[in-house]
Amino acid sequence: MPSRSPIRPTDDEARALARALLSRARSAALGVIEPATGAPFVTRIALGLTPDGAPVSLVSDLAQHTAALRETPACSLLLGEPGLKGDPLTHPRLTLQARAEFVERGTPGHQTLRSHYLAGHPKAKLYVDFADFHFLRFAVGAAHLNGGFGKAYRLTAGDLLE
């Protein structure tokens, strides 16, 4: 008996759901590879979007995940929150496979990114200019959308752009 792939063809409805999850996300679970052990490490980070729609975060050098990303920039982000009721697995979620790119102070685009990020995260004004904080832009290579039971899709970075 031939096996059927659980992955559906990507359509406009899947693209719209993925874009909505990305645009509404205020935080994400970030998966990195711990340099000392090679083991996966997951943490929660604040999340925003760059002016061109790429995921972005503001991270401290004191954080374990920052050191991990400097060593191995390949990472994964999980977006989407379970609802207040029902089985958490029935709620949509989006996994992004990405490469973290540090945007250092004084580099082109840093000031624009800073202003844009603070518009969505005003409380970050308290620490955005601390010397140990840096912006991370996530260059998405692929995405996996689970829209609930039986609704799995593979997406490209282009599928996430309007």
Side-chain angles (χ1 to χ4, degrees), residues 29-35 37-44 63-66 68 76:
L30 169 67
V32 300
I33 300 299
E34 189 176 67
T37 65
F41 179 84
V42 178
T43 190
R44 181 161 304 276
Q64 190 170 346
H65 54 271
T66 303
S76 185

Side-chain angles (χ1 to χ4, degrees), residues 97-115:
Q97 294 174 306
R99 182 169 190 80
E101 301 169 345
F102 285 84
V103 181
E104 304 292 350
R105 281 181 190 78
T107 61
H110 180 272
Q111 204 54 36
T112 299
L113 181 56
R114 181 187 181 281
S115 297

Side-chain angles (χ1 to χ4, degrees), residues 26-84:
R26 301 280 299 143
S27 67
L30 169 67
V32 300
I33 300 299
E34 189 176 67
T37 65
F41 179 84
V42 178
T43 190
R44 181 161 304 276
I45 60 169
L47 193 72
L49 297 176
T50 64
D52 65 351
V56 65
S57 190
L58 181 63
V59 297
S60 169
D61 284 335
L62 303 176
Q64 190 170 346
H65 54 271
T66 303
L69 290 170
R70 287 201 185 276
E71 183 82 20
T72 305
C75 60
S76 185
L77 297 160
L78 175 63
L79 290 65
E81 298 293 329
L84 298 175

